[in-house]
Amino acid sequence: MEESRLCQWTVIRSVLAILQWWGFNVTVIIMNKWIFQKMDFKFPLTVSSIHFICSAIGAYTVIKVLKLKPLIVVDPEDRWRRIFPMSFVFCINIVLGNVSLRYIPVSFMQTIKSFTPATTVILQWLVWSKHFDLRIWASLIPIVGGILLTSITELSFNTFGFCAALFGCLATSTKTILAESLLHGYKFDSINTVYYMAPFATMILALPALLLEGSGVVAWLQTDPPLLSSFFIIFGSGVLAFCLNFSIFYVIHSTTAVTFNVAGNLKVAVAVTCSWLIFRNPISMMNAVGCAITLVGCTFYGYVRHMLSQQTPGTPRTPRTPRKSMEFVPLVNDKLEDKV
């Protein structure tokens, strides 16, 4: 009886964690799009800087003040030699995501973001000569095909926004590869990742944001917008962006890899639906079909990765990497590829 209740509670906790993750993720995306489109605050560097500042403060509060998570100590030398390069790529990833949101609809941006598994596999194959099971390559076919179909039939296609979203996928994949190669020995969770990376990202982005967008922000303020509500929305999106990272950590520890992968793809569908209901961007039938094909491919990719991870190491069909002089330990779990 107690086991049954415990199982029910585990399921309920997992469902609540996923719903919380969906809520934060979709809200952040919608708020960012609202900032760029409805508020006419077309300054993605400034928005990204505010997000990093809020995330740095939030991570410090969780670890140092509330002590909800133990701090993973990193040597000062390693912070600059290892974490700083990753922070630079992390910064580029967030900025490109916000830039793409300014120019293309949420539905198109989220579909392109689903291309990340493909770019990760391709980069690992090119950079490390890492070999993958044929089923991994097969799972990339619907992902690539769905994105091509979506791009061709996108009614609100914008070349700059498309390129920003696509290079954002490359930045996410590069961050994953750098994590494995630069941070062996440090097993970070999402909160410690934000704790170390957000301050570096703020430092990297603050000056370019000031030089490139400072005058534009001042001009926008002189148009007499509703400052109180605008302030609340812009900084509120930054606070929610940090909460999203915290919710990702909670979901990972409450669900399995397969559940996380499926929930992530369903989250894309929820974000696309919510954005269409709010912004009413035109979506053709073939565009919706392409998005669906991409999500099915991502789900199949996650399933194949999970099945291969259950095989005993050294079997012929297990992905293999040429051995190095030291073992590589990822900075974050493979399931953390969906961070905002």
Side-chain angles (χ1 to χ4, degrees), residues 203-251:
M203 180 181 66
I204 293 170
L205 194 57
L207 184 59
L210 181 63
L211 294 177
L212 298 177
E213 298 181 348
S215 59
V217 173
V218 173
W220 181 82
L221 290 173
Q222 292 175 348
T223 61
D224 295 325
L227 290 181
L228 185 59
S229 60
S230 299
F231 178 88
F232 177 80
I233 293 175
I234 294 174
F235 278 88
S237 67
V239 173
L240 290 175
F242 166 74
C243 293
L244 171 61
N245 286 289
F246 193 83
S247 67
I248 289 174
F249 170 79
Y250 186 61
V251 170

Side-chain angles (χ1 to χ4, degrees), residues 179-224:
E180 293 193 54
S181 61
L182 293 179
L183 289 170
H184 53 272
Y186 293 109
K187 296 182 180 180
F188 277 24
D189 52 62
S190 61
I191 300 302
N192 274 276
T193 301
V194 174
Y195 178 85
Y196 283 106
M197 288 190 178
F200 275 132
T202 302
M203 180 181 66
I204 293 170
L205 194 57
L207 184 59
L210 181 63
L211 294 177
L212 298 177
E213 298 181 348
S215 59
V217 173
V218 173
W220 181 82
L221 290 173
Q222 292 175 348
T223 61
D224 295 325

Side-chain angles (χ1 to χ4, degrees), residues 4 6 11 52 72 93 119 127 171 183 232 275 283 294-295 304:
S4 177
L6 181 61
V11 172
F52 289 137
I72 297 176
N93 179 32
T119 56
V127 176
L183 289 170
F232 177 80
S275 68
I283 300 178
T294 300
L295 295 183
V304 171

Side-chain angles (χ1 to χ4, degrees), residues 266-312:
L266 290 175
K267 179 265 301 176
V268 174
V270 172
V272 169
T273 303
C274 291
S275 68
W276 180 81
L277 291 173
I278 294 174
F279 299 105
R280 295 291 180 177
N281 56 286
I283 300 178
S284 66
M285 179 58 69
M286 294 304 296
N287 188 266
V289 170
C291 180
I293 292 174
T294 300
L295 295 183
V296 170
C298 290
T299 303
F300 180 53
Y301 168 82
Y303 174 75
V304 171
R305 285 287 299 268
H306 175 73
M307 293 298 294
L308 292 174
S309 68
Q310 301 304 308
Q311 296 180 7
T312 55

Side-chain angles (χ1 to χ4, degrees), residues 12 33 36 45 85 151 165 170 182 241 245 269 296 328 334:
I12 292 174
K33 186 63 177 179
F36 296 132
L45 296 182
S151 302
L170 292 173
L182 293 179
N245 286 289
V296 170
F328 291 152
D334 284 340

Side-chain angles (χ1 to χ4, degrees), residues 1-8:
M1 188 67 176
E2 290 185 1
E3 289 185 4
S4 177
R5 290 182 177 178
L6 181 61
C7 182
Q8 290 178 353

